[in-house]
Amino acid sequence: MIETREAEFASKCGHLFVSAPTVLACESVPKLPWLLPTDFDDAKVPRDLSSLAQSRSVIRGEFAALRAASAQNRSHRKVIIGGEDLELPRWEVFYLMEDGAFTTAARRLCPRTVALLEQLPLFRTRLGECYFSILGPRTIIPVHTGVTNAKIRCHVTLYESSSSRLPNLNLAMTPMQYICALRVAGVEFAYTTTDDCAGAEAEKEAAQLLLFDDSFPHEEWNFSTRERVVLLVDLWHPALLTTREGAARCADVTRRFPPVPSPHEWLPSVGTGRLAALPADLLQTLCVDYLAARDVCALGYTCRLLHA
């Protein structure tokens, strides 16, 4: 039970690691950094998560197509750490769902991945995202916390750089166990693909699919010489999907932070073909004007132009 694990975590290290969302805090959500597929009451969700994990080869192929397309159009790509020099530390993402809405490029280039994701209880608000996360060699993502504990984050490992342990160094100087890992609330998880994981099928699947509350302090690193690629998916916290009060909270969060669709959907009166023919600066102006007319800009949203 999630309540039992929450109590155990609180007694052992709850005073060291606390949930600290930067935008929206839900007090009714259990304060537990790590979750399991079985924490969802709906038995369909664990099955759909299992299907997502087992479809890694399909997702890899569509990721390659999206990444190749970014060579001509970088609107669905964001470099968060580093730059274009591949020799430097780098963290970049390729968006499938941004601000709670799937991008046009995702539906066109990653249709099977999108279909798998749409079976899940996605966090379809302006605070929700789905994207491919590429952590380059010799790169560290410092400790940070997410925007809200109303959601949990799912990582599906597509390409691991290394699941090996670091040399037995002085842990006071190197407080890390693995060469490439995610650490949430003091617990490390080494990214692993099923290709390299021994054991039963259930153990293999658990090794490459991770659920955690990213409102807790977490960090990532990759000290290897290869990229680490994961599919990141934001889901509603399972505690909000089990009661009438939770459902009301979900509706309230969605009302306060509605998803913001791509420009092609912002301008329903203009056909996709005609939009593609418009100059980028004109399309940008139209999108901003359309958002202002709908009072979306009053929510503090910064318009980002997505080309498809």
Side-chain angles (χ1 to χ4, degrees), residues 239-267:
L240 296 177
L241 302 176
T242 58
T243 64
R244 182 174 298 179
E245 292 77 10
R249 185 58 168 155
C250 291
D252 178 63
V253 173
T254 304
R255 179 187 59 80
R256 293 175 60 188
F257 301 93
V260 180
S262 69
H264 290 164
E265 296 171 275
W266 292 338
L267 302 172

Side-chain angles (χ1 to χ4, degrees), residues 51-290:
S51 295
L52 184 69
Q54 293 171 8
S55 302
R56 192 187 57 194
S57 60
V58 171
I59 299 171
R60 277 177 167 176
E62 294 190 336
F63 160 67
L66 185 65
R67 191 174 197 179
S70 71
Q72 288 76 37
N73 184 347
R74 298 182 180 180
S75 58
H76 49 266
R77 169 179 175 253
K78 182 178 180 180
V79 179
I80 302 175
I81 293 177
E84 299 304 321
D85 189 344
L86 301 183
E87 297 301 318
L88 298 176
R90 195 177 89 266
W91 175 31
E92 61 181 323
V93 302
F94 293 82
Y95 285 104
L96 295 170
M97 185 180 84
E98 187 176 14
D99 300 311
F102 282 105
T103 69
T104 306
R107 293 194 179 279
R108 179 166 56 88
L109 298 172
C110 308
R112 297 175 69 181
T113 302
V114 169
L116 287 165
L117 294 175
E118 288 184 320
Q119 300 301 310
L120 300 168
L122 296 175
F123 192 67
R124 291 177 182 262
T125 78
R126 189 160 46 93
L127 304 178
E129 300 174 318
C130 297
Y131 55 76
F132 295 110
S133 173
I134 300 93
L135 193 63
R138 302 174 296 279
T139 304
I140 298 175
I141 301 176
V143 177
H144 60 289
T145 59
V147 293
T148 179
N149 63 340
K151 68 178 177 68
I152 64 172
R153 186 148 278 190
C154 172
H155 278 192
V156 178
T157 308
L158 300 181
Y159 295 99
E160 67 157 290
S161 60
S162 174
S163 59
S164 301
R165 288 181 176 271
L166 286 165
N168 188 19
L169 303 176
N170 183 350
L171 293 183
M173 299 292 293
T174 311
M176 295 144 172
Q177 298 182 50
Y178 295 98
I179 291 176
C180 181
L182 164 72
R183 180 159 57 195
V184 182
V187 179
E188 282 188 31
F189 176 89
Y191 288 106
T192 307
T193 61
T194 55
D195 298 336
D196 307 301
C197 179
E201 288 302 317
E203 294 173 348
K204 292 180 179 181
E205 184 175 307
Q208 72 151 355
L209 189 144
L210 172 67
L211 299 173
F212 66 99
D213 180 346
D214 75 331
S215 69
F216 281 87
H218 59 286
E219 59 188 318
E220 296 177 68
W221 59 82
N222 178 11
F223 295 141
S224 77
T225 57
R226 297 188 297 172
E227 290 182 336
R228 180 241 59 187
V229 183
V230 300
L231 170 62
L232 182 149
V233 184
D234 283 340
L235 307 171
W236 283 102
H237 196 291
L240 296 177
L241 302 176
T242 58
T243 64
R244 182 174 298 179
E245 292 77 10
R249 185 58 168 155
C250 291
D252 178 63
V253 173
T254 304
R255 179 187 59 80
R256 293 175 60 188
F257 301 93
V260 180
S262 69
H264 290 164
E265 296 171 275
W266 292 338
L267 302 172
S269 62
V270 183
T272 302
R274 293 171 62 190
L275 275 175
L278 292 176
D281 57 346
L282 176 58
L283 181 55
Q284 176 75 61
T285 301
L286 288 172
C287 292
V288 171
D289 290 345
Y290 186 70

